[in-house]
Amino acid sequence: MADKQISLPAKLINGGIAGLIGVTCVFPIDLAKTRLQNQQNGSRLYTSMSDCLIKTIRSEGYFGMYRGAAVNLTLVTPEKAIKLAANDFFRHHLSKDGKLTLFKEMLAGCGAGTCQVIVTTPMEMLKIQLQDAGRIAAQRKLMPETVAAGTVETKSPTAMQLTRELLREKGIAGLYKGLGATLLRDVPFSIIYFPLFANLNNLGKRGADGPAPFYVSFISGCLAGSTAAVAVNPVDVIKTRLQSLNRGSTEDTYSGVTDCIRKILRNEGPTAFLKGAYCRALVIAPLFGIAQVVYFLGVGEFILSFLPKKDN
């Protein structure tokens, strides 16, 4: 009974630790992804991921690549914990009535993706404003024609300032702008990722019931993560555009998902939906590879083993 009692807390710890390690490693690439996705015709500052990172370091210093990292590191722990633990929870209950079929695996992934948006949406909302602030500032200096006349340069806001402003002006709904697009991204991502990972990981298991080696879990997490990331990238572009509050005077604004799709197709063409796809794959692959290694090594179980056990 003791194992069952610590099962959920251990999974939450595993997910949290994995998220912290993964985000720290790949955050600069995520920043480049956000800035590339937000670029519109007539206001392009960056030609590629490497160009974006080089220009960011030159204009904002090394730590400029970590704009918004504090928000991500604070909220990624509950986000990853919810996502991974929810998937395990749904898989466990869906397998009680028999074999866990592919459909049931996808259903579990759907449940996990739906649960995580509670944390993901406000996290992404704040992170995107902070990440994109440097692009807007550089655009103001290098491309002044794209900035509205009379616009005054202001200091980049902090996460707390953004949160207070959004809550004051729009209430809790302000932090959940882009919720629909986030659901459209995260639910399909989880439907693809979790079954693909589970089946790839099973291929490397030692025997019928033995666990897969850690490197198999890492590779499986990387492959499944990058595949799912590229598959849902068009929705990620839409989500990023909808959640960005500050724009240049020549850049489009959007009233919703369908309006965003229509304007992107009309003004930038279908290839715009692939903006930042390789950056996103480079972010998600190690992020989920690390997550699965931490998860399957049982770091959370190891930590909880030091806690005093209750007498039955």
Side-chain angles (χ1 to χ4, degrees):
M1 290 299 293
D3 288 341
K4 289 186 179 179
Q5 288 174 354
I6 68 168
S7 177
L8 183 59
K11 292 181 191 305
L12 293 173
I13 291 171
N14 285 332
I17 291 172
L20 288 172
I21 296 171
V23 166
T24 303
C25 293
V26 302
F27 194 83
I29 304 173
D30 187 63
L31 178 134
K33 178 211 69 120
T34 297
R35 294 187 178 184
L36 289 170
Q37 286 183 339
N38 262 334
Q39 289 190 135
Q40 298 184 27
N41 290 342
S43 61
R44 293 175 184 270
L45 288 170
Y46 315 112
T47 58
S48 64
M49 178 186 75
S50 57
D51 181 54
C52 179
L53 293 176
I54 289 168
K55 287 178 178 175
T56 298
I57 292 171
R58 283 177 181 169
S59 62
E60 303 167 55
Y62 175 78
F63 290 105
M65 295 191 298
Y66 281 87
R67 279 178 181 261
V71 171
N72 218 184
L73 289 169
T74 301
L75 295 180
V76 77
T77 299
E79 187 235 15
K80 283 289 174 288
I82 290 169
K83 186 187 191 85
L84 295 171
N87 180 67
D88 267 13
F89 174 82
F90 289 121
R91 286 175 70 91
H92 172 71
H93 284 278
L94 287 169
S95 63
K96 280 184 175 179
D97 298 326
K99 185 182 176 182
L100 193 65
T101 62
L102 178 60
F103 175 74
K104 287 182 177 179
E105 288 182 324
M106 294 171 72
L107 200 60
C110 177
T114 304
C115 289
Q116 79 171 85
V117 298
I118 298 167
V119 176
T120 305
T121 306
M123 178 182 77
E124 294 270 315
M125 181 68 187
L126 295 171
K127 183 192 73 171
I128 284 170
Q129 313 317 313
L130 297 167
Q131 286 182 328
D132 207 39
R135 181 186 72 90
I136 298 296
Q139 191 175 309
R140 183 180 289 110
K141 291 177 183 176
L142 301 175
M143 306 173 71
E145 70 279 2
T146 65
V147 180
T151 300
V152 179
E153 185 171 353
T154 57
K155 288 184 178 180
S156 298
T158 65
M160 286 304 298
Q161 287 171 338
L162 279 170
T163 303
R164 283 196 295 266
E165 187 178 332
L166 286 167
L167 288 173
R168 185 176 66 250
E169 293 181 0
K170 301 180 181 179
I172 194 69
L175 290 172
Y176 280 86
K177 183 180 180 182
L179 175 62
T182 306
L183 276 168
L184 287 173
R185 182 196 67 173
D186 288 351
V187 171
F189 178 93
S190 295
I191 288 173
I192 296 168
Y193 171 77
F194 284 111
L196 183 56
F197 167 77
N199 285 281
L200 287 172
N201 198 55
N202 283 339
L203 294 175
K205 278 189 173 181
R206 295 179 178 134
D209 300 317
F214 80 92
Y215 60 85
V216 172
S217 294
F218 177 77
I219 294 170
S220 298
C222 288
L223 289 174
S226 57
T227 301
V230 173
V232 302
N233 193 75
V235 189
D236 191 54
V237 172
I238 294 165
K239 185 197 72 65
T240 300
R241 297 282 182 95
L242 288 174
Q243 289 186 319
S244 297
L245 300 176
N246 297 315
R247 302 186 186 282
S249 60
T250 62
E251 294 180 335
D252 288 324
T253 56
Y254 313 102
S255 60
V257 173
T258 53
D259 181 55
C260 184
I261 294 170
R262 182 173 54 81
K263 286 180 178 176
I264 290 175
L265 284 172
R266 184 184 65 203
N267 300 327
E268 302 171 64
T271 56
F273 291 108
L274 296 177
K275 285 182 177 181
Y278 65 97
C279 292
R280 183 162 164 74
L282 287 173
V283 168
I284 296 297
L287 188 61
F288 278 86
I290 292 166
Q292 294 300 350
V293 170
V294 172
Y295 215 62
F296 280 86
L297 286 177
V299 176
E301 287 82 353
F302 177 74
I303 292 171
L304 289 175
S305 69
F306 290 98
L307 296 178
K309 292 179 174 62
K310 293 180 180 179
D311 295 328
N312 291 327

